[in-house]
Amino acid sequence: MQNILVVEDDRELNEALCYALEKQGYHTSAAFSIQEAKETYQSFTGKEKLQLVIQDVNLPDGEGFTFCQWVKAQQDIPVLFLTARDLEEDVLKGYDLGAEDYITKPFSMKVLLRKIELIFKRTQPEQPGGYDDGYLKIDWERAKVMVDQKACAVTPTEFRLLKVLAENQGRLLTYEILLEQLWDCDGQFVDKHTLAVNVNRLRRKLENTEHKYISNVYGMGYQWIG
């Protein structure tokens, strides 16, 4: 699951950002100052790491530019500025410090979420050419699926669904995200009922009592747990 640190001293906006991000399946941490942001960053140790920082420039204990510079010195992590500071020199300074993007307020939440999605696509390692856990084997390039060393026939929609889920292992994918990904498959409309039908078909084809791959998070979406 992607971990995102939101550094914003406006508590209502911080809560709104975290809520919107959590709804999309991300895990968020909130900080309201540079000092809190540093402490939160340092709390991520071992396997659990931050994948993105969303931050304001105007913060109670200094300019967010200094935190961007500090966090970049710790880890080459993507930083997205979200701020009312819209002067050209501020925007350029943000990019000079290595920011992935610089968005000025007011902003569109939908556009922000799409930009975050694109940042992860650009910055995360490319997925390998296939999936293989010894029981389930998938060749993405040739669209071939093997279950227990036997060929498994899947429809184009099922295969696209399988790819989206498996390439986002551990992340909760909401119904909205999945429907958007499957919308234009073969030019056919895919609704929530059709999505559920395809998920159930995949489960019957891939799973047994010892091998589970897709978890249904009731009322929210699906998660690949393989």
Side-chain angles (χ1 to χ4, degrees), residues 55-70:
Q55 65 161 99
D56 197 356
V57 173
N58 295 322
L59 293 166
D61 51 350
E63 289 193 332
F65 294 129
T66 62
F67 177 69
C68 177
Q69 198 167 24
W70 180 87

Side-chain angles (χ1 to χ4, degrees), residues 10-11 18 21 24 29 33 59 67 79 101 110 126 132 136 145 148 158 177 187 197 207 214 220-222:
D10 183 325
R11 291 185 177 270
C18 289
L21 291 166
Q24 292 298 306
S29 298
S33 67
L59 293 166
F67 177 69
V79 173
D101 211 334
K110 287 184 178 180
E126 292 185 4
D132 189 353
L136 173 62
V145 180
D148 198 18
E158 289 170 353
I177 292 174
V197 169
E207 299 183 345
I214 304 172
M220 297 182 68
Y222 299 96

Side-chain angles (χ1 to χ4, degrees), residues 121 124-131 140-141 163 166-169:
K121 285 183 178 180
Q124 289 187 336
E126 292 185 4
Q127 296 292 332
Y131 178 95
W140 300 130
E141 293 184 1
K163 192 171 192 294
E167 289 187 343
N168 288 276
Q169 183 170 4

Side-chain angles (χ1 to χ4, degrees), residues 10-214:
D10 183 325
R11 291 185 177 270
E12 288 187 5
L13 178 56
N14 198 316
E15 289 177 4
L17 287 166
C18 289
Y19 175 80
L21 291 166
E22 295 274 356
K23 194 174 179 182
Q24 292 298 306
Y26 302 111
H27 179 267
T28 63
S29 298
F32 306 96
S33 67
I34 294 173
Q35 184 59 36
E36 282 189 54
K38 288 182 177 181
E39 292 172 358
T40 303
Y41 174 83
Q42 291 170 336
S43 70
F44 283 85
T45 58
K47 293 183 178 180
E48 190 177 20
K49 294 183 181 297
L50 277 175
Q51 281 84 35
L52 176 66
V53 173
I54 300 173
Q55 65 161 99
D56 197 356
V57 173
N58 295 322
L59 293 166
D61 51 350
E63 289 193 332
F65 294 129
T66 62
F67 177 69
C68 177
Q69 198 167 24
W70 180 87
V71 79
K72 284 285 189 180
Q74 314 303 311
Q75 174 190 349
D76 187 17
I77 184 173
V79 173
L80 186 156
F81 280 103
L82 183 63
T83 177
R85 295 268 290 266
D86 59 357
L87 293 178
E88 184 178 86
E89 54 262 39
D90 289 328
V91 178
L92 293 175
K93 185 174 183 179
Y95 284 120
D96 287 342
L97 289 172
E100 284 287 326
D101 211 334
Y102 192 106
I103 301 174
T104 57
K105 303 170 183 176
F107 65 97
S108 162
M109 187 67 77
K110 287 184 178 180
V111 171
L112 174 63
L113 293 173
R114 179 56 58 85
K115 284 178 176 287
I116 291 169
E117 181 183 339
L118 292 174
I119 286 173
F120 281 129
K121 285 183 178 180
R122 288 197 304 268
T123 60
Q124 289 187 336
E126 292 185 4
Q127 296 292 332
Y131 178 95
D132 189 353
D133 65 1
Y135 176 78
L136 173 62
K137 185 175 182 178
I138 311 167
D139 186 325
W140 300 130
E141 293 184 1
R142 296 192 298 167
K144 300 292 184 183
V145 180
M146 301 283 290
V147 176
D148 198 18
Q149 301 183 353
K150 298 177 183 177
C152 177
V154 295
T155 68
T157 299
E158 289 170 353
F159 188 79
R160 284 190 67 178
L161 174 60
L162 179 60
K163 192 171 192 294
V164 172
L165 288 168
E167 289 187 343
N168 288 276
Q169 183 170 4
R171 176 186 172 190
L172 168 61
L173 298 179
T174 63
Y175 300 126
E176 291 79 8
I177 292 174
L178 290 169
L179 291 173
E180 184 177 299
Q181 294 289 330
L182 302 173
W183 175 268
D184 60 354
C185 182
D186 299 327
Q188 296 179 1
F189 174 75
V190 177
D191 58 16
K192 191 174 176 181
H193 172 72
T194 307
L195 173 62
V197 169
N198 279 276
V199 168
N200 289 334
R201 285 176 179 168
L202 272 177
R203 280 176 166 165
R204 288 196 295 270
K205 293 177 180 180
L206 308 180
E207 299 183 345
N208 58 24
T209 54
E210 297 178 356
H211 299 90
K212 301 294 181 182
Y213 294 99
I214 304 172

